[in-house]
Every structure is written in C-alpha cells, then in structure tokens.
C-alpha cells in the first residue's frame, strides 16, 4: 500500500494564527483526505516552531516566561484543527516534545560525521524576523526584503554547514524532478539560486544571543543550534528519527510521497538547506515541495503585528467551517497571492454551497419524497437529455485527481462544482413536476435516479474539501433501514455578512 507523508510548516508562535496559516492547513488536509479516500496510508503532520528567537523576544516584550508564552500560542495553532476540521495525525512542539531534541542532535551528529560542520568566525547582517543572515545584495535598500526592517550586524564564532558541497547534487535532483518543486516558477527560482552559487551557512548561534533558548550544539554548549536547522528537522524527528522506529521507515524511507507544503517566503530553507542537510546525513530527500502564496485582507498585507487581521477562529465562528474551507480552496489561485474579503467568502458560500450544493440536494430529495415516497427509483431506462450531467459526473474523479496531483485546488473544486451546476440545470430543463403531472413515470424514474446519483457523487467527491458538508450530503442521500431517504433538512444554509465588516468599510 502506498504511503504518503504530508507536512505543514511549523509556524513560530509569537502571536495567534492568521488566515494564511489556515490556508496551508486546509490545503494539506484536503490532500491528506483525498489520498486516504483513494486507499493510501497517509500521515498529516503539523507542529509549532517554539525555539525561534523571535518567540523569546515576544515573550520578553509581554513580560512572560518563554515556556508559558510559547505553550499558550502553540495551543492556539494546534487548536485550529477543530474549527477547520483538520485530520491532523500528529503534532510536534519543538520545545517540549521528547522526540525532537534527540532527533535534532542525531541529525547534527550525522552531518558532523560526514565532515560537513565546521567552526568559523562570522560577521553578517541578521534579520531576527527571518532568522537568517542576508548578503548585502539581497537586501532592499539595506532592509530585509521580507520584513522591511534594518537587520542587525552580528559578529561571532559559529558552526557552519558545508552547503557548497551539495550544490551539484541538489541541482541534479531538482532539475531531474526527483525533488519536484511546484509551481515550476518556484523550481526555476531555486535553480537560479543554486546557479548563483551556494555559500556554506551558519548553523549555530551563541547561546548568549539566543538568550539560552533552543537546543545546544552537541559537545559545544556555548552554541545553540540554528533555529531553522532545528525547525526543519521536525519533519524527521516527528517520525521517531532518534530512535529509528517503524514510523521513520514507513513515513520517510519507504514513503511513496514525502510532501512539504509551505509559503513562498521559506522556499530557500525547504528546497536548498533541508535537502542538503538530508543528503549530508544520508537520508532520503522530499519528493514534493508545494509552495503557496500569501493572503492579503481587503488589499492589506496580513501582519501579526498590525492586529488588523481576521482571526480564523472568529471567521469559523461567524460563517462556519464549510464556508471558510470552501473560500480557501476555491478562490486562492495555485501558488499565487490572493485577497480575502468577507464579502467574497459570503458570496462563494451563498452561490455555491447554499444555492448550489445545498439547494440541489434538498430539491432532489424533496422530489423523491413527493413523487416516490422517499424511495430511490429502480430503473433501467436512460434519463432523457442527460449527456452534460452524465459527463460532469463521469469526468469529475479524474479531474480532481489530476488537479490535486498538481496541488491545484481550484480546478479540483471546479470539477465537483460542475456536477452541481449541471444537475441544477438538469432539474430546470427536465421539470420533474411536469413529468409527474403528465404521468411519464419511466422518464421521471430515470431523471430522479440520475439526480440522486449526482448528489451522491457530490457527497463522495466533496469529502476532501468539505468533510462536514460531505458527510451531511451523503447521509441525506442514503436510504435508511426502511428503504426511504431521510426527510430533506437544511444542509448548507445561506449566510449573511457580519456587522463587523460592514462597519469597517
Ligand atoms: Zn526578515
């Protein structure tokens, strides 16, 4: 049986999660649910990066102990699994999970044994927001391109990783598709980065500068392991890398896919540093690196510091899980940035969930209840004028599979939506109530049977995207012990825009 390992990035926890985190979680969850539904073994892995220096700084600013501070915010991230209906199999917290530190140390020792770690004096410009040194040439007018802040000048003795040694091998793996970076524009970006020359990079900090937080370098307690090394290692440490157990074999070494989902801002770490560390340690590299863009809200950059962002918890409380997931999967273009507004979310939910899926299933079940006493017609007659709807039903599974293999959620959801769209048109065109009036029983049986099949297909195909709604649809379209369909009940109600947003416009 094929095994698929899917990871989300582990966010640093200096504030509450925003909608961009929800996007990555929901994308990863849809993939995990899809592959599980296809009969694969799947592990969806999430976690939090507790050891970042910016967590320490945020805790100090809040006047709290680092440990209690990161625990509180980590809970806000892992807690999203409930409201977003995420099927996360495991969550790792890098500061407290007993699997993590020994795994990080083991990875360090494996690279050291290969001769890839060495000490050297270093001076550079460091952005705490990014937790990375920037060469002058990559700064924008002296400022971090990601944060717009002036980096700190840092001068200290650090451990370095011999990244330069792995440039040719890395290039070949990426260009040859062994490591697939998607979308292709991101792969080209990484290839250009490699072609520009890969310098060895610093993989430790003085324990003093790290405020004593983080994992000490094995055998050199005056140094703390670079937080990106520590964070990237979670993809292995969560698989009991240190103890070398069954999880490591099943989900890494023998996995059919090792998929990392991530935002464009952390591409270099995942597509260059991480595979190089794995090569050095003698481990397999990821098969897929799927990169998403950033969300803005009402045209403004989502920023933890501005406090102007929509909290995903509030959004779900206001509009429900299905509406939030549907917007994230249906409206955000692959690999690109997208602008969120509550108006867009509400329009999508009303047009497609309430008026599309919900209304269709209700109409069909109501028709079967009225004309066939709730019993699914058994018929060998073919339904009249059914080509477009039959095609939509027949084509959707392959279209969804192809789109998801490509990490492209819009065409995947579009293929499912097409069934509802065609089925609603089919109801209007065939007018089952007229068939009933005219006594055209054979046609009516065939029309109702086809429409119910369309609704059942929706229940099955929506499961990765809208697990809650899909379950309600399937229940509504499945005859009970009496052989009758349950009485039609509202599945996806219309929603109205919150007063909160109306006031801010
Ligand atoms: Zn930065």
């Amino acid at each position: 049986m094929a095994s698929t390992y899917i990871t989300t990035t582990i966010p640093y926890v200096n504030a509450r999660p925003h909608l961009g985190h929800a996007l990555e979680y929901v994308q990863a969850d849809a993939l995990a649910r899809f592959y599980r539904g296809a009969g694969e073994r799947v592990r969806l892995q999430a976690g939090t990066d507790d050891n970042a220096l910016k967590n320490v700084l945020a805790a100090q600013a809040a006047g709290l102990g680092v440990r209690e501070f990161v625990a509180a915010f980590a809970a806000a991230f892992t807690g999203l699994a409930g409201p977003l209906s995420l099927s996360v199999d495991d969550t790792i917290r890098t500061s407290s999970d007993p699997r993590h530190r020994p795994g990080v140390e083991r990875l360090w020792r494996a690279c050291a044994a290969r001769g890839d770690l060495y000490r050297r004096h270093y001076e550079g410009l460091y952005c705490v927001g990014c937790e990375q040194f920037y060469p002058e040439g990559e700064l924008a007018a002296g400022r971090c391109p990601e944060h717009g802040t002036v980096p700190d000048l840092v001068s200290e003795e650090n451990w370095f990783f011999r990244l330069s040694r792995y440039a040719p091998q890395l290039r070949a793996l990426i260009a040859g598709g062994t490591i697939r970076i998607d979308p292709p524009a991101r792969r080209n970006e990484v290839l250009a980065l490699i072609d520009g020359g890969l310098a060895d990079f610093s993989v430790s900090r003085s324990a003093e500068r790290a405020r004593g937080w983080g994992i000490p370098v094995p055998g050199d307690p005056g140094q703390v392991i670079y937080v990106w090394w520590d964070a990237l290692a979670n993809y292995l440490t969560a698989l009991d890398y240190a103890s070398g157990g069954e999880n490591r074999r099943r989900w890494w070494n023998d996995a059919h896919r090792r998929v990392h989902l991530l935002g464009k801002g952390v591409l270099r770490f995942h597509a260059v540093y991480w595979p190089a560390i794995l090569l050095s340690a003698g481990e397999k590299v990821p098969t897929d690196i799927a990169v998403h863009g950033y969300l803005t809200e009402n045209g403004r950059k989502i920023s933890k510091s501005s406090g102007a962002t929509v909290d995903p918890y509030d959004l779900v409380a206001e509009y429900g899980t299905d509406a939030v997931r549907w917007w994230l999967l249906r409206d955000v273009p692959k690999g690109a940035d997208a602008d969120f507004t509550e108006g867009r979310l509400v329009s999508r939910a009303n047009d497609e969930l309430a008026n599309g899926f919900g209304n269709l299933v209700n109409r069909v079940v109501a028709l079967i209840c009225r004309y066939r006493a709730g019993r699914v017609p058994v018929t060998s007659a073919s339904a009249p004028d059914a080509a477009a709807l039959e095609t939509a039903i027949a084509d959707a599974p392959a279209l969804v599979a192809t789109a998801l293999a490509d990490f492209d959620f819009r065409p995947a959801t579009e293929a499912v939506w097409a069934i509802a769209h065609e089925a609603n048109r089919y109801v209007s065109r065939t007018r089952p109530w007229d068939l009933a009036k005219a006594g055209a029983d054979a046609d009516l049986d065939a029309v109702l049977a086809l429409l119910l099949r369309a609704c059942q297909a929706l229940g099955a195909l929506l499961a990765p995207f809208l697990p809650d709604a899909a379950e309600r649809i399937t229940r509504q379209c499945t005859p009970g012990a009496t052989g009758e369909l349950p009485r039609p009940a509202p599945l996806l109600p219309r929603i109205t825009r919150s007063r909160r947003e109306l006031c801010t416009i």
Side-chain angles (χ1 to χ4, degrees):
M1 194 194 289
S3 298
T4 291
Y5 180 47
I6 300 172
T7 68
T8 63
T9 49
I10 55 169
Y12 53 89
V13 287
N14 65 348
R16 287 175 65 78
H18 56 60
L19 197 58
H21 298 111
L23 172 69
E24 189 173 301
Y25 288 143
V26 168
Q27 287 185 341
D29 181 67
L31 287 175
R33 288 179 186 274
F34 174 76
Y35 288 119
R36 276 190 213 109
E40 295 191 14
R41 284 196 301 207
V42 175
R43 180 185 177 100
L44 175 56
Q45 176 72 45
T48 53
D49 170 14
D50 294 358
N51 292 337
L53 178 55
K54 54 196 151 186
N55 295 339
V56 181
L57 300 179
Q60 284 176 348
L64 293 169
V66 188
R67 205 160 284 282
E68 55 174 316
F69 182 88
V70 297
F73 282 115
F77 280 86
T78 56
L80 273 177
L84 291 175
S85 282
L86 306 174
S87 59
V88 175
D89 294 295
D90 188 25
T91 301
I92 189 164
R93 281 193 50 207
T94 58
S95 69
S96 61
D97 195 300
R99 295 169 297 181
H100 188 62
R101 179 170 169 172
V104 171
E105 291 170 344
R106 180 178 177 144
L107 193 63
W108 181 278
R109 290 202 181 93
C111 296
R114 280 290 287 274
D116 288 332
L117 298 175
Y118 62 93
R119 274 191 85 135
R120 118 175 187 220
H121 181 78
Y122 190 72
E123 203 172 273
L125 295 164
Y126 194 77
C127 174
V128 177
C130 295
E131 303 272 17
Q132 78 172 91
F133 284 104
Y134 273 103
E136 300 257 16
E138 286 185 26
L139 296 174
R143 287 167 181 272
C144 167
E146 197 68 21
H147 294 94
T149 48
V150 178
D152 303 328
L153 181 66
V154 169
S155 168
E156 65 187 28
E157 174 123 344
N158 290 159
W159 286 91
F160 273 70
F161 174 73
R162 225 177 279 284
L163 178 65
S164 52
R165 182 178 178 184
Y166 294 95
Q169 201 179 347
L170 204 52
R171 194 187 198 292
L173 289 171
I174 292 167
T178 303
I179 302 173
R180 181 170 70 127
I181 300 175
D182 193 88
R186 298 293 172 196
R187 178 197 59 211
N188 296 340
E189 190 182 319
V190 172
L191 290 175
L193 200 65
I194 296 172
D195 291 342
L198 294 182
D200 296 351
F201 70 104
S202 155
V203 290
S204 73
R205 307 285 176 257
S206 72
E208 187 191 349
R209 192 156 68 83
R211 315 290 204 273
W213 185 247
I215 299 175
V217 168
D220 188 0
Q223 294 273 309
V224 168
I225 294 177
Y226 178 36
V227 70
W228 265 106
W229 176 295
D230 168 330
L232 290 164
N234 97 87
Y235 302 133
L236 270 185
T237 62
L239 303 179
D240 305 324
Y241 173 69
S243 54
E246 167 67 13
N247 280 336
R248 177 181 171 191
R249 188 190 62 72
R250 175 185 291 182
W251 301 112
W252 196 265
N253 298 1
D254 296 351
H256 178 57
R257 300 186 194 82
R258 293 174 290 276
V259 184
H260 296 317
L261 266 74
L262 45 124
K264 60 183 180 179
V266 295
L267 177 60
R268 172 202 312 238
F269 301 98
H270 285 81
V272 177
Y273 293 1
W274 174 233
I277 291 168
L278 290 167
L279 289 172
S280 170
E283 299 295 336
K284 290 197 171 176
V285 291
T287 59
D288 296 90
I289 293 176
V291 186
H292 60 79
Y294 289 159
L295 296 182
T296 53
E297 278 170 13
N298 300 299
R300 291 187 303 257
K301 186 173 187 251
I302 293 182
S303 126
K304 285 177 175 172
S305 47
S306 76
T309 71
V310 176
D311 186 315
Y313 284 96
D314 294 344
L315 211 56
V316 170
E318 187 89 45
Y319 300 118
T321 304
D322 295 316
V324 174
R325 284 181 66 113
W326 192 244
W327 185 82
L328 291 169
L329 295 167
R330 185 87 173 98
D331 256 15
V332 179
K334 167 175 159 161
D337 297 346
D339 188 48
F340 170 82
T341 68
E342 294 191 27
R344 289 194 184 109
L345 178 145
V346 169
S347 300
R348 274 288 179 199
N350 285 336
D351 292 351
E352 298 186 346
L353 302 189
N355 298 347
F357 300 130
N359 187 37
L360 171 73
V361 174
N362 263 286
R363 273 170 107 185
V364 170
V365 173
L367 287 166
I368 292 173
C369 285
R370 181 181 315 160
Y371 297 122
R372 293 296 180 260
R375 294 180 174 274
V376 184
V378 180
T379 172
S380 55
S382 56
D385 193 18
L389 178 54
E390 291 277 16
T391 303
I393 298 171
D395 289 354
L399 290 170
V400 170
T402 305
L404 291 187
D406 212 21
F407 306 108
D408 202 346
F409 298 91
R410 282 203 306 179
T413 48
E414 174 65 29
V416 186
W417 165 246
I419 296 175
H421 180 66
E422 287 301 337
N424 270 324
R425 287 179 51 186
Y426 190 67
V427 174
S428 312
R429 224 167 42 235
T430 55
R431 304 175 64 82
W433 46 93
D434 285 349
L435 294 175
K437 224 178 285 170
D441 277 343
D443 274 356
L444 182 59
D445 278 347
V447 164
L448 293 178
L450 171 60
L451 284 169
L452 186 68
R453 192 150 56 78
C455 294
Q456 289 166 336
L458 289 178
L461 289 164
L462 281 174
F465 311 110
L466 304 176
D468 303 353
E471 201 187 310
R472 295 197 296 275
I473 291 172
T474 296
R475 214 180 306 128
Q476 180 72 80
C477 296
T478 306
T482 60
E484 290 166 28
L485 293 173
R487 303 297 302 173
L491 294 170
L492 288 152
R494 283 185 65 82
I495 55 181
T496 47
R497 251 165 100 172
S498 77
R499 299 174 57 82
R500 177 160 50 93
E501 191 194 37
L502 293 173
C503 293
T504 62
I505 286 177

